[in-house]
Amino acid sequence: RGGRAFMRHTRPDPRRYETTQRLASDSQSGHYAPMPSAFDSDLAVLREWWAVHSSSVGCEVRGLWFGLADLVGDDEVARHTMDVAGTPDFDSDDGGDWACEYLWEPVDRYLRLDGLGGIDQDDRQGAVDHAVALVRELRPWEGDVPGLNGVGVGFDDGDVVVVWASA
């Protein structure tokens, strides 16, 4: 991960990934209603996961890394996957090197989020934008991590987006 460029992105519109379905009670009329968006579904899964694990993040963790990787699942298809880890350091100016050494790694740190995994494999920026929006909504810096200095998101082999840094 060394040599990552520091980037900031504006918040993407999570509705970009929203789909629709025909209302079951009105299938003849052709009316459609929004399904829960892929973003909302992913956020619910991430919030549930974070609620279970946030209290286990040690006070020595300074950075949280929400990494992205393309992993092959049981269906033998590669999909964008999120992994979460804590680091002993955080430096928004070091190009992401802070995100290379893990201090806190939950056993189930890899999250297969349907919305994230459904983004085209070639759309890495779309996957990053989706993940950044998820972490901004999760707001892990407002919880149980007392010594936290920063939170980053990005592909394990790419650039880091600093989502939050302490003042």
Side-chain angles (χ1 to χ4, degrees), residues 108-150:
D108 60 343
R109 71 187 195 125
Y110 290 96
L111 299 166
R112 301 231 1 150
L113 304 171
D114 290 340
L116 179 65
I119 298 171
D120 188 90
Q121 285 298 113
D122 295 328
D123 188 5
R124 288 172 62 100
Q125 188 59 55
V128 169
D129 290 346
H130 186 83
V132 165
L134 287 170
V135 173
R136 283 189 175 142
E137 287 295 318
L138 180 65
R139 305 178 73 79
W141 52 88
E142 291 183 347
D144 299 328
V145 189
L148 192 63
N149 294 328

Side-chain angles (χ1 to χ4, degrees), residues 11-153:
R11 181 178 171 177
D13 182 357
R15 292 170 295 181
R16 171 179 174 196
Y17 305 104
E18 192 168 304
T19 58
T20 59
Q21 71 178 11
R22 188 176 299 251
L23 288 170
S25 62
D26 201 10
S27 60
Q28 299 300 328
S29 72
H31 292 291
Y32 289 82
M35 290 176 53
S37 72
F39 178 85
D40 291 338
S41 175
D42 285 358
L43 184 57
V45 171
L46 184 57
R47 280 186 171 148
E48 182 177 326
W49 184 93
W50 184 246
V52 169
H53 294 288
S54 63
S55 62
S56 70
V57 179
C59 61
E60 60 280 346
V61 168
R62 298 294 173 253
L64 282 177
W65 173 241
F66 289 81
L68 300 174
D70 294 324
L71 301 181
V72 176
D74 294 336
D75 58 2
E76 298 186 18
V77 175
R79 296 191 197 316
H80 301 305
T81 305
M82 180 179 280
D83 62 281
V84 185
T87 65
D89 299 303
F90 174 82
D91 182 349
S92 62
D93 297 323
D94 78 353
D97 289 339
W98 64 269
C100 295
E101 180 184 341
Y102 298 153
L103 182 65
W104 173 75
E105 295 179 79
V107 173
D108 60 343
R109 71 187 195 125
Y110 290 96
L111 299 166
R112 301 231 1 150
L113 304 171
D114 290 340
L116 179 65
I119 298 171
D120 188 90
Q121 285 298 113
D122 295 328
D123 188 5
R124 288 172 62 100
Q125 188 59 55
V128 169
D129 290 346
H130 186 83
V132 165
L134 287 170
V135 173
R136 283 189 175 142
E137 287 295 318
L138 180 65
R139 305 178 73 79
W141 52 88
E142 291 183 347
D144 299 328
V145 189
L148 192 63
N149 294 328
V151 177
V153 175

